[in-house]
Amino acid sequence: AQSVSQHNHHVILSEAASLELGCNYSYGGTVNLFWYVQYPGQHLQLLLKYFSGDPLVKGIKGFEAEFIKSKFSFNLRKPSVQWSDTAEYFCAVNTGFQKLVFGTGTRLLVSP
Amino acid sequence: DVKVTQSSRYLVKRTGEKVFLECVQDMDHENMFWYRQDPGLGLRLIYFSYDVKMKEKGDIPEGYSVSREKKERFSLILESASTNQTSMYLCASRADPYNEQFFGPGTRLTVL
């Protein structure tokens, strides 16, 4: 069965620090990849997505992610985090079947 | 903007009660989903529906059923609520398998 791994469960950073959240998936075929974010008290919303083309994808609020097919990875990055980035981040993979498979999430706390 | 609404933000029920969670989307999406979200486990798919009156089991369907009589509405039913069904329930919809899912605000269900 397809699976998605997010190795960092909790990350604590100071403002202006750089962020990289790992995401690896187990599926050898064509994939569509997503990062979702859930701010405290809010619903899940899409940060960015990759379907095809340039493997470096830019999303909202200065986030980007890089798809590395050979490593089955889709890591999320931001060069300088802000306190308002405190949230839970979910990686998700669509393998072409009907459903998305989500990782277990990474809770990011940014201290001011 | 796509809007996915859920009938309740918070719900408290007793063990053995029948529980209905309602979800409505306003963008004529074909696919709808029910997830539960638990700390450390991420989002787990309960059921999904890719068309009216169609349903498919997700990863954790036991103890749940669903109904989709109209395209815009997807209901999750707990036939006999149990304490281990205390969780956050998220509904989502999408136009097709190659687009992102849009999430509702969630229903936090507590079963006493």
Side-chain angles (χ1 to χ4, degrees), chain A:
Chain A
Q2 295 81 31
S3 66
V4 178
S5 298
Q6 292 182 244
H7 308 295
N8 313 103
H9 299 293
H10 292 89
V11 173
I12 301 173
L13 294 173
S14 299
E15 273 194 318
S18 64
L19 170 71
E20 180 159 3
L21 301 183
C23 174
N24 289 90
Y25 61 91
S26 63
Y27 182 71
T30 302
V31 292
N32 299 321
L33 300 156
F34 305 83
W35 275 98
Y36 281 86
V37 61
Q38 188 172 35
Y39 298 103
Q42 296 188 27
H43 62 275
L44 272 162
Q45 55 189 283
L46 183 71
L47 260 185
L48 47 78
K49 61 185 177 184
Y50 172 79
F51 282 78
S52 63
D54 189 344
L56 185 61
V57 180
K58 295 195 184 298
I60 61 171
K61 305 188 180 188
F63 285 90
E64 64 178 32
E66 186 175 13
F67 170 49
I68 303 180
K69 190 174 181 180
S70 61
K71 294 186 178 180
F72 300 92
S73 70
F74 190 54
N75 291 354
L76 182 70
R77 300 194 292 246
K78 186 171 184 179
S80 176
V81 294
Q82 301 173 308
W83 176 79
S84 57
D85 294 324
T86 292
E88 190 162 16
Y89 293 81
F90 294 92
C91 181
V93 177
N94 179 345
T95 62
F97 298 103
Q98 292 286 347
K99 60 180 186 179
L100 275 184
V101 179
F102 282 85
T104 53
T106 297
R107 285 185 184 271
L108 171 65
L109 175 63
V110 180
S111 57

Side-chain angles (χ1 to χ4, degrees), chain B residues 10-77:
Chain B
Y10 299 92
L11 209 51
V12 180
K13 296 291 181 181
R14 297 208 175 272
T15 302
E17 279 193 82
K18 190 169 186 175
V19 182
F20 292 87
L21 303 182
E22 302 286 335
C23 174
V24 178
Q25 52 93 2
D26 66 357
M27 283 301 290
D28 203 35
H29 282 173
E30 299 287 336
N31 305 160
M32 296 188 74
F33 305 81
W34 275 107
Y35 297 89
R36 62 177 283 176
Q37 182 181 11
D38 299 288
L41 297 178
L43 277 72
R44 293 180 293 165
L45 182 64
I46 305 171
Y47 268 96
F48 65 101
S49 167
Y50 50 85
D51 203 352
V52 177
K53 296 192 187 291
M54 307 297 280
K55 59 186 179 184
E56 292 283 340
K57 291 181 180 178
D59 299 316
I60 51 164
E62 296 78 20
Y64 304 94
S65 62
V66 290
S67 171
R68 192 164 180 207
E69 296 296 318
K70 293 186 177 181
K71 192 174 188 179
E72 67 271 18
R73 188 180 298 270
F74 192 35
S75 303
L76 180 69
I77 304 152

